[in-house]
Amino acid sequence: RVGPRGEDQDLLLAAAYVSDAQYNRNVPFETSPQAVRLYHFYNHWTMRAATYFFIWVDLALALFEEPALFPLPFLATSIAEVLCLTAFFGRLVHFAKVTPQMVFWKDTKNICIMVTIVLTLIDLITYGSLEAVNIHGVRWSRALRPVFLINFPESRQIRRAFRSIRNTLPDILYVFLLFIFSVLIFSLMALKLFGDRGLKTVQGSPYFTNILDIAFELYVLVTTANSPDVMMPAYEFNWWYSLYFITYIIINTYIFMSVFLAVVYNNYRKHLKNEIRTLAYLKRHKMIEAFNILKVKVGTEFVVKEAQWRQLAKVVEPDISSSHLELLLRISDEGQKGYVDKTNFLRLADLLNIQVVTINIKRHPLEAWMPRVYQSSPSLLVQKMVRHRIFVWVYDVIILINAIFIALDEKNPLISYAEWLFLSLYIIEILLKLYTYEPRAYFGRKQFWNWCSETGMLDGCVLFPARKYNSQQILDIVLILRILRLLRVIVSIQRFRVIVTTLINIGPTMLTFGGLVLVVYYVFAIIGMEVFHGKVHFFDPGSTSPDALVCGNPALKDSAFARGRYCRNNFNDLPASLILLTELTVVNQCFALLADGFALVTHQAAKLYFIGFHVVVVILIVNIFIAFILEAFFVAYSLEKSEVETAIEKKIQELGVGVQEEEVQDGKLIDNVDAKDSGFSGDDGDNKRKALKGLYFRIASKKYKTVDALLQQMFESEIAPEDEGPSLEEILNFSPSDVHPKNPSFENSA
Amino acid sequence: RVGPRGEDQDLLLAAAYVSDAQYNRNVPFETSPQAVRLYHFYNHWTMRAATYFFIWVDLALALFEEPALFPLPFLATSIAEVLCLTAFFGRLVHFAKVTPQMVFWKDTKNICIMVTIVLTLIDLITYGSLEAVNIHGVRWSRALRPVFLINFPESRQIRRAFRSIRNTLPDILYVFLLFIFSVLIFSLMALKLFGDRGLKTVQGSPYFTNILDIAFELYVLVTTANSPDVMMPAYEFNWWYSLYFITYIIINTYIFMSVFLAVVYNNYRKHLKNEIRTLAYLKRHKMIEAFNILKVKVGTEFVVKEAQWRQLAKVVEPDISSSHLELLLRISDEGQKGYVDKTNFLRLADLLNIQVVTINIKRHPLEAWMPRVYQSSPSLLVQKMVRHRIFVWVYDVIILINAIFIALDEKNPLISYAEWLFLSLYIIEILLKLYTYEPRAYFGRKQFWNWCSETGMLDGCVLFPARKYNSQQILDIVLILRILRLLRVIVSIQRFRVIVTTLINIGPTMLTFGGLVLVVYYVFAIIGMEVFHGKVHFFDPGSTSPDALVCGNPALKDSAFARGRYCRNNFNDLPASLILLTELTVVNQCFALLADGFALVTHQAAKLYFIGFHVVVVILIVNIFIAFILEAFFVAYSLEKSEVETAIEKKIQELGVGVQEEEVQDGKLIDNVDAKDSGFSGDDGDNKRKALKGLYFRIASKKYKTVDALLQQMFESEIAPEDEGPSLEEILNFSPSDVHPKNPSFENSA
């Protein structure tokens, strides 16, 4: 179907669909040629980067505004903020031109951004004019800044995490109410049991006499922050009373906190599957749209011509190398018939997503240069030695010994000399490896582990000059890098790899959580800075001022807060606030201490701020984080022994075996490199190689895929290739309960 | 097949099989008539109770031995111990007579018990003779006492939990090594980063200068116990350094601890399924054995005669009521043909396991006594009122108001009088309910919730006399009961019930964990008592002795341990040790404080004891506990909307509908009672009632089943009724990896 538009325009439209399918973007865009062109521009990486740049500038403004780490005048920060707002507005206008009017105004994301822009402007103007007449206002709109981070279409992952939280809320709420109820019942009991005993706490204040204080103490006990202090007076009075606290801890700390995790995890899992199903169907939907645009009839079936297919791939992925393109075409057009059929066309997005590493297999330069010397028997012996397992083990042992030397006293001159010895050993290792392996092959492999050990060696070269200048910062970084060398040892042990690989896979999605946590922290930090800034001051450790003992606030006299030298934990600038919030996340005695301290310098109600933070961060976000790690590991474990390969990967492998014969001979080198350095070769054939015109292709290991990608892949392999999927309406209205089978079986119930 | 034995002996043998199937016992016993009789005696409740009694006496001996809570002479405790050992030996001999020789000597359980008995005797004799010449020995064998608790066949659940731990160990070990490795790498970094800075801790000691101290501090940081104290000196020096600690916490506290949970949970789930499959097949195996013993040929098929079936049920369950037996027979012998076929016979164990509540429906005594008054319109109005929802709500509100009054100051005479008002309101409620519902029906229902509110009312009656005598202990208990009244309010809210029901279901299995925790705590407590007893003393809070400030040990001068008034946390007797270990389980600042304190009074190596405890209890047992709660909730959630009914339950329901017509009329009363009080009625028909000769039968709700029972039931419903299952050999050699599908699908993978 060649529409009224020209071929170029068709190609652009199809490319937009394919690109959306490739990156799982779900933006309903207009199909007019101009809108499609604008949409391509909208998705261009420069535009996205600019948006992120302005978002970060906007968030970073808190560093320069009162209370500031680096103070700047209000005029400067407000101009910067207005600039950011303009950029956001521009981006929004761009988006409005791309998407249909109806859809644009129905989307809460866009409304949110607009409202926030208007509110921020109002706040800026009010604050500015109040400041002009010397009245100090509150810059409340600053707490809204994360809205921009959440609501731009680029932050799909963060929004998904938020959706996850929102979906969990109703279920969590009931457990939370039950939990609060239980805390209150225990508070009542405590009041009756201990209130009239005349007991005193360690600080000499009356023990458990006020129901509100009791409820707060018991809430804190759930965080385990004041255990066993809160119990000691009653325990000293009669040891039977400790049973009350043990019961409380079992019920509220262990059982209820596990129930929170169970509820969060259950919801997380349910919604994850639903979202993945939706994504998979939407992807197929988009690929079918793209096919329908480009298809021509050949014989009885609709296909896409090879030339068009090539052009399309080039538009979607402008940087694709021609050999890579050739490989993909060979996979898509099996019979070399000059066209790609529907089933193969639908795979294009997946094909483009497969990371194919191209390795130019060449002879070692030395071999070309002086073949007789390089092929002589001593030279071959050296090469064999370097390729042997024992070579790796010897260097692992050397690294371990080096670590022990690092742990020992460095002032000892002998140890200082030993460091030179280790450095030369590492340099020898590099040289030997360069001698044995083709240099470009050695450095070209994007292997995480390789780089780890490389940096470990390089740092040595930096270390010694740096020590002369005694530049503290550089030395610190180099020292850390030196110790990272130890990571190489882990990699040589097979059993650790599954764990480490899963941990590395989690990495990218962890950034999502980073975003989520940042949003919550930022809002709490801004609120905390407005409420608590300047209440507590930090004095240099050497300071002899009497104020230093009470953190500059007489209200803290004799408090545990001041005694514990906690003055540095304050809300006086953004980094300090964020670090304080991190400490609160790691609930501990500091939780009670900090809450008490800030309540002392302001009002008892300040404790609500700390409890609120605990509920949001520890009960919700940390649990989602744990749920996410659990899920990642369960998927990793359940796939450990099975071969989950997409049809495409199988095909690449088949094609590889069928085409290339000389591979066997040259492959040996790669095999050796793999087995020794990449560390992820062998067992289940995930390092399939494909040689084409002297090039080797390797598929990035399946083990490096994220949970989402793995699950989506599994789901897609379960949809039949002819299945057109439900209609767009149906897809968008999937509900999570559809995913769960009505009659759970023994297999999937638990 | 009537064997050479008499009919009685056949019956006994079959009954042994059925009983074993009913209680999931897996003891291979001899089939000779004498052995079967002995086996019945072995399983008799008196014998089991006696065994448990001696186990508890043996464990409780630690209360009376040095260091003792209630000191007794060595002679007395050693005689008691010898008595216990004799009882254990007797039990073992009894078991040896029941089971085949080969099996007995192959079973590590029996060997364990014998070795422990011998070791304990040796220890007793050595210690006694050393004591006689006034040399103080170490009663090391006391740490072995939990062996008896674990290894008697009755403690299958605890052994299973231990097996679960053992199975998890290899996987955990690798993660643990990786974790220790990461801690060590971070320690090295810390040494290099902070060692040369000359920083001081709050106590003024040098900061991070010794690699071992650093490693300990960082290990404690994983437990979050010394956060943020450990960070403060570096943070005060430069806030960039806090990034080091934040990285550490993210990697080691959050990610690694989640990975531990993931590994434990994954193994728990895998092995749970395997065990359940094994149990289900063994059960079927035993029922088939029983059938083969009793079967006779009628027509073309083998069946069991009704009379024999009756006798068998009577032998297995001597206390079964004849109406209950009649009901079961009616289910098993559908066509009333006078015999039970194989399929129905195999269900006998499940039938006996179904809790059927018999309710004798009678008219209200008042109705029989003075029908005209009871049926008069004002009386009917009262009854209607009491049955109405609003009646329950009104009393919920009254209870809430009462709770608020309890929270208020009790010395106020007005509030004291209000208590009388509430008491009379509760008495009125009881009287009204007794007037409306048939008394036996009202009290006869074994409803947890009912009893909760009942005790709430009864306590009121105890409270006032008790106050006169001012008996502290009684008052305390009564006060707690009074507050439990509040639980009634929860029950009236539907959404809370799922959570609360699941929590209650967890109850019985929690006892398993109680046993597991007890074993571990006991061993650690005994070791702790031997090592640390008498090192720290507790002085009465009023004591003015200078020793009181340092807990009686000068080594604790100026330590945080003494400053925090932690002297009560010592190993001077068993309860104190157990409470101390509980505090350690709730890792907190106390963890570091206690470890430091006890290291001060003994040796730095004492910290290893505390780290060992943390690894065993927090990393292993608490995670298994969480895994167990997660699993329970996931099963509960996945079953929430589905109808999982065994064939038998369906049959009881069908039979109920088919037989009883008058139910509709009288059922109304039950319905009302259910809806208002039992709280678990209605929605999905789990309160099926069966009326037979004027009796009502109710199946205990499926919601009250444990995870194990639910899973077993699901698995059994998936085995075909004719399926004889694998051979005994195969069943016993099932491996957990068989359960997991080789190619995980989207549905069951995550």
Side-chain angles (χ1 to χ4, degrees), chain A residues 20-26 160 272-288 346 349-350 708-720 723-726 728 731-732 734, chain B residues 746:
Chain A
D20 277 8
Q22 188 187 354
Y23 297 109
N24 272 330
R25 269 194 300 259
N26 300 313
R160 203 165 104 186
L272 177 71
K273 286 203 174 172
N274 187 41
E275 299 227 359
I276 279 166
R277 204 171 47 141
T278 310
L279 280 181
Y281 275 126
L282 279 175
K283 186 172 164 187
R284 169 149 308 200
H285 190 82
K286 277 173 273 186
M287 289 310 291
I288 291 174
L346 295 190
D350 299 321
D708 286 21
L710 279 175
L711 283 177
Q712 190 166 347
Q713 187 176 307
M714 284 164 81
F715 184 70
E716 277 166 8
S717 68
E718 285 172 26
I719 329 177
D723 186 4
E724 303 257 322
L728 198 60
I731 295 172
L732 295 174
F734 275 152
Chain B
F746 179 68

Side-chain angles (χ1 to χ4, degrees), chain B residues 407-464:
Chain B
L408 295 174
D409 186 9
E410 213 176 78
K411 266 119 212 161
N412 188 327
L414 243 174
I415 289 170
S416 220
Y417 284 125
E419 198 51 53
W420 284 107
L421 175 70
F422 286 116
L423 185 62
S424 37
L425 281 173
Y426 295 137
I427 289 170
I428 290 172
E429 191 196 4
I430 290 196
L431 290 179
L432 279 175
K433 283 195 170 172
L434 279 182
Y435 182 76
T436 312
Y437 304 120
E438 206 275 326
R440 255 175 300 179
Y442 183 59
F443 287 113
R445 276 167 299 127
K446 289 178 191 166
Q447 288 287 353
F448 176 78
W449 298 115
N450 228 26
W451 288 112
C452 263
S453 59
E454 244 55 80
T455 48
M457 285 165 213
L458 289 175
D459 75 58
C461 318
V462 188
L463 182 63
F464 289 86

Side-chain angles (χ1 to χ4, degrees), chain A residues 471-486:
Chain A
S471 158
Q472 194 59 55
Q473 241 69 34
I474 297 175
L475 257 182
D476 285 353
I477 294 167
V478 166
L479 276 168
I480 290 173
L481 288 179
R482 251 173 90 197
I483 293 165
L484 284 182
R485 229 180 271 171
L486 279 171

